[in-house]
Amino acid sequence: MPLSQNGYPAGDASIHNPYLPGTRIRFPQGLRRGPAGDLLLWLAGQLHKRVEDGGTGYGMWGYHHRTIRGATGLSNHASGTAIDWHAPRHPLGARGTFSPAQVREIRRILSQTQHSIRWGGDYTGRPDEMHFEVVASEAQCARVLEQLTRNNQEDDMPTAITTSLPVGKRVTLTIPPVQGGAAGWGPAWVGIGVDGGDVKIRGAVHVDDESGWRPLFGGNWDTDAVREIKANEPRSTHSYGLPNGAGKLSLEVVGVTSADTPIEAVAVSALVEYALR
């Protein structure tokens, strides 16, 4: 199997195309499924919040099965482990396309990833300031993501956990205790976003007291455990507050309800956000 420069398998078998949480921004042709792609998506969210507004997403690039420009090896884009951020604003070969303040913030963000992501602006040869690529193993990316979601990296922003939801597979997340813990976790909510087709989702939340598991959407198990979510609705339409003491979240896409829509065309993701007390 061909490998991209960073050692990840190339090809589109493991690619999906999630929205940047809270926006309509996507990276055309998508990102790698799993921790490497999720860490890139986290970094993109930080660029959007702290460095440069992503706008409509014009000029963003993700998966592309091609060689490195000017070389023969496969680009990290070929494995979905690289993104280009606002390519027209930061053209290949140009330096100084970000301000000094923006560069300092980019370096702080890269430090938060424990340098599991490399910036093309640091290349010693031809600069590529639009470009960010994974340079760590999948296991290391998973460890970094876990730390990012458990530590308060930004005092003035909610902590967020992002996950993709494969059709037909239950995903259970252990989350910091809502309105609890030494870190001062406050209120929390989960937003669900869908692209490519309408789906039905079963949701449950576990509260660490005698009540145990309960339906995420409220009500009772017989009538309210499953909810339909349409692809053309914004994530904010399907944002649900989590009860105090919640420590686990279970989500399962139980079916696609859009007529003639293949399962592989549907992308579903969840975003858990916290405010600090």
Side-chain angles (χ1 to χ4, degrees), residues 119-200:
W119 177 41
D122 286 331
Y123 290 170
T124 56
R126 179 185 60 188
D128 193 2
E129 295 192 348
M130 71 178 93
H131 184 80
F132 297 85
E133 61 188 7
V134 173
V135 291
S137 68
E138 200 95 67
Q140 173 64 11
C141 291
R143 286 191 290 269
V144 170
L145 279 169
E146 182 178 7
Q147 291 177 23
L148 287 170
T149 56
R150 291 183 179 277
N151 297 332
N152 174 28
Q153 299 290 337
E154 303 160 274
D155 291 338
D156 58 346
M157 298 182 191
T159 295
I161 303 170
T162 304
T163 186
S164 56
L165 301 175
V167 177
K169 181 179 179 180
R170 181 180 298 173
V171 174
T172 301
L173 299 173
T174 299
I175 60 176
V178 177
Q179 293 280 22
W185 304 113
W189 55 97
V190 57
I192 300 170
V194 181
D195 182 58
D198 304 342
V199 300
K200 285 188 175 180

